[in-house]
Amino acid sequence: MSSITSSCYSNLILKKKESRINVGFHLQYNGLRAIETVQMPASSVAYKPKAVKCGRIRAMASPAVSAPKRETDPKKRIVITGMGLVSVFGSDIDNFYNKLLEGQSGISLIDRFDASSYTVRFAGQIRDFSSEGYIDGKNDRRLDDCWRYCLVAGKRALEDANLGQQVLDTMDKTRIGVLVGSSMGGSKVFTDAVEALVQRGYKKINPFFIPYSITNMGSALLAIDTGLMGPTYSISTACATANYCFYAAANHIRRGEADIMVAGGTDAFISAIGVGGLIACRALSQRNDEYEKASRPWDRNRDGFVIGEGSGVLVMENLEHALKRGAPIIAEYLGGAITCDAHHITDPRADGLGVSSCIVMSLVDAGVSPEEVNYINAHATSTLAGDLAEVNAIKKVFKDTSEIKMNGTKSMIGHGLGASGGLEAIATIKAITTGWLHPTINQYNLEHEVTIDTVPNVKKQHEVNVGISNSFGFGGHNSVVVFAPYKP
């Protein structure tokens, strides 16, 4: 297997351990061994003079390493048997992906609240959402949109996997878990409670305020509604949330703690305080006169991301169990990884070490060499620093990018925060199953550092061998998951 080199760590070679149990989240993870130390030059470390420096980075290598081997144990191989979503393009997966292939923008002017005085007045706002058939009317009126999206996406994913309630009632539900995370939780319920407190006093606070605002409630409500009793909790790592959930869910299956995991992300933060807060931290594009062209990953004239919302959920299942029950197998999850930049609360590392090491570790976990990867669904939020930091990290890992195509789903649906990784995982899997890549729209003046094919403006036919999906979050949270066509 060929080595991977970079300015941050040299002679880096992937080594596949016999054990698939993932017990650490640092650079010694899964058999990567350190044999030399590299001193990072200060100029390559950060965007700002006061930023934290990399210090001494342990370079990793392993002599005489054989080619990586993928998992062969059917109890540890993980396949995707169902997908469900709620998006700006509706809740039907084929319609969602067809809209992406068409290059249609889902960005529109906000009408959920009065944004006329805001410097940003547009978003990837979901309209005409219906929970009919998935949530009873009484609960539907009480729930925050974050949880409504989660319940619909989760139940649609179960249906897609031939796991409707009648089937579930015949199964061992202690072997089925739920891991759907959220970045912000029930933000509307929270802000309504604050308004009630300020305007009318604490006695007027909604009694559902606490349970319907905390970030674990998506998994809890879905488990309660379906009776699933396996590992059930939530992870909240900002915009990296959904991939963290996929990674953790896969490990529960590989450790034998569950046969099936329902995993993904959900968020609904298009609100007065949500948009106002993101304006305050200068994260959003202010292209109000051209809002459909506002999200433009890797374009030289990008000026920030566009907030979106929704939910994306996968049913992940061990192969043996899926085959035994005759489940529809859509694709295979090969592996994943998570790391931390340990650098800044919002800015990425300039040297890209956190991201590049996360990609490397995901390939180790997947048993995949860099040469096998030919598609990347990038995080690509359309921020000035983030877009190039991701590309630079990708180029460190993949020395020859001539066969790789990379696109940005957020150019059309906006940035769904904790939901984004879930929606993008579905887009990645649809690319695998259809052989078509959706475009990155609004590509007018590409940054010269971006030498990878970004599928600009028009879809492309492309047979995906191995695809990775990147998600990164505030706090320096990095996550990468690896998918491939299912081959018996």
Side-chain angles (χ1 to χ4, degrees), residues 104-160:
Q104 182 172 322
S105 174
I107 310 304
S108 61
L109 293 174
I110 296 169
D111 62 10
R112 187 169 295 162
F113 64 93
D114 182 6
S116 59
S117 63
Y118 281 51
T119 55
V120 176
R121 299 184 289 276
F122 57 92
Q125 178 183 316
I126 292 173
R127 303 172 188 277
D128 303 320
F129 169 73
S130 173
S131 61
E132 186 176 354
Y134 296 101
I135 309 174
D136 70 78
K138 186 177 181 180
N139 281 329
D140 196 41
R141 290 188 293 272
R142 292 172 175 169
L143 291 175
D144 192 280
D145 279 347
C146 185
W147 311 136
R148 296 171 76 219
Y149 297 163
C150 171
L151 286 172
V152 172
K155 290 181 179 181
R156 290 180 71 96
L158 286 166
E159 289 178 352
D160 193 45

Side-chain angles (χ1 to χ4, degrees), residues 51-366:
V52 178
K53 295 183 179 181
C54 294
R56 296 178 70 80
I57 305 299
R58 302 290 294 178
M60 301 158 289
S62 176
V65 177
S66 59
K69 295 180 181 179
R70 296 188 193 177
E71 184 62 72
T72 57
D73 184 346
K75 291 184 179 180
K76 294 182 179 180
R77 285 183 67 183
I78 297 169
V79 291
I80 308 304
T81 56
M83 303 190 294
L85 59 74
V86 172
S87 77
V88 71
F89 295 133
S91 300
D92 180 84
I93 285 177
D94 287 339
N95 183 66
F96 167 76
Y97 200 62
N98 286 337
K99 294 290 187 184
L100 293 180
L101 291 177
E102 292 167 7
Q104 182 172 322
S105 174
I107 310 304
S108 61
L109 293 174
I110 296 169
D111 62 10
R112 187 169 295 162
F113 64 93
D114 182 6
S116 59
S117 63
Y118 281 51
T119 55
V120 176
R121 299 184 289 276
F122 57 92
Q125 178 183 316
I126 292 173
R127 303 172 188 277
D128 303 320
F129 169 73
S130 173
S131 61
E132 186 176 354
Y134 296 101
I135 309 174
D136 70 78
K138 186 177 181 180
N139 281 329
D140 196 41
R141 290 188 293 272
R142 292 172 175 169
L143 291 175
D144 192 280
D145 279 347
C146 185
W147 311 136
R148 296 171 76 219
Y149 297 163
C150 171
L151 286 172
V152 172
K155 290 181 179 181
R156 290 180 71 96
L158 286 166
E159 289 178 352
D160 193 45
N162 291 341
L163 291 170
Q165 197 60 50
Q166 287 186 334
V167 175
L168 286 176
D169 289 343
T170 68
M171 301 177 71
D172 181 358
K173 295 180 183 177
T174 66
R175 301 289 301 168
I176 308 174
V178 185
L179 219 176
V180 181
S182 172
S183 173
M184 303 305 302
S187 61
K188 179 65 163 54
V189 170
F190 188 94
T191 54
D192 286 349
V194 172
E195 287 180 7
L197 173 67
V198 171
Q199 296 174 8
R200 294 178 289 165
Y202 79 93
K203 292 183 179 181
K204 296 300 181 180
I205 293 176
N206 187 329
F208 293 98
F209 155 53
I210 295 296
Y212 285 169
S213 63
I214 51 181
T215 55
N216 69 300
M217 199 48 62
S219 290
L221 288 170
L222 186 55
I224 290 167
D225 271 16
T226 55
L228 304 182
M229 299 175 65
T232 296
Y233 57 101
S234 296
I235 293 173
S236 184
T237 47
C239 309
T241 290
N243 277 3
Y244 269 70
C245 291
F246 296 141
Y247 173 77
N251 288 340
H252 283 297
I253 295 172
R254 285 176 173 165
R255 288 194 296 262
E257 298 164 356
D259 296 318
I260 301 173
M261 291 293 295
V262 184
T266 186
D267 257 317
F269 202 46
I270 300 175
S271 61
I273 195 168
V275 175
L278 289 168
I279 291 172
C281 68
R282 301 179 182 179
L284 298 181
S285 167
Q286 298 190 16
R287 207 178 295 272
N288 291 294
D289 296 332
E290 293 183 299
Y291 52 84
E292 291 183 338
K293 299 179 180 179
S295 183
R296 46 178 70 192
W298 307 300
D299 189 90
R300 292 182 188 179
N301 294 316
R302 67 193 182 282
D303 67 333
F305 73 79
V306 177
I307 187 172
E309 60 181 347
S311 181
V313 176
L314 302 179
V315 175
M316 307 174 73
E317 186 168 357
N318 81 55
L319 177 60
E320 181 179 81
H321 191 272
L323 291 174
K324 188 176 294 184
R325 72 178 186 89
I329 297 177
I330 304 169
E332 185 166 1
Y333 168 94
L334 297 181
I338 57 178
T339 64
C340 183
D341 276 359
H343 170 65
H344 190 271
I345 58 172
T346 56
D347 290 345
R349 291 179 72 121
D351 60 28
L353 178 61
V355 172
S356 57
S357 63
C358 193
I359 295 172
V360 168
M361 290 157 59
S362 75
L363 300 184
V364 172
D365 190 51

Side-chain angles (χ1 to χ4, degrees), residues 17-62:
K17 258 192 173 181
E18 291 299 319
S19 169
R20 297 303 298 259
I21 298 175
N22 306 310
V23 296
F25 305 141
H26 49 82
L27 294 183
Q28 297 296 322
Y29 178 93
N30 248 14
L32 293 175
R33 297 179 179 176
I35 62 167
E36 64 173 304
T37 299
V38 177
Q39 179 68 45
M40 288 299 303
S43 61
S44 67
V45 172
Y47 292 108
K48 300 175 183 179
K50 294 183 179 179
V52 178
K53 295 183 179 181
C54 294
R56 296 178 70 80
I57 305 299
R58 302 290 294 178
M60 301 158 289
S62 176

Side-chain angles (χ1 to χ4, degrees), residues 373-376 398 400-406 452-453:
V373 177
N374 66 345
Y375 170 56
I376 300 170
F398 303 101
D400 180 3
T401 60
S402 61
E403 300 299 317
I404 294 177
K405 298 192 185 302
M406 170 180 75
I452 307 170
D453 184 351

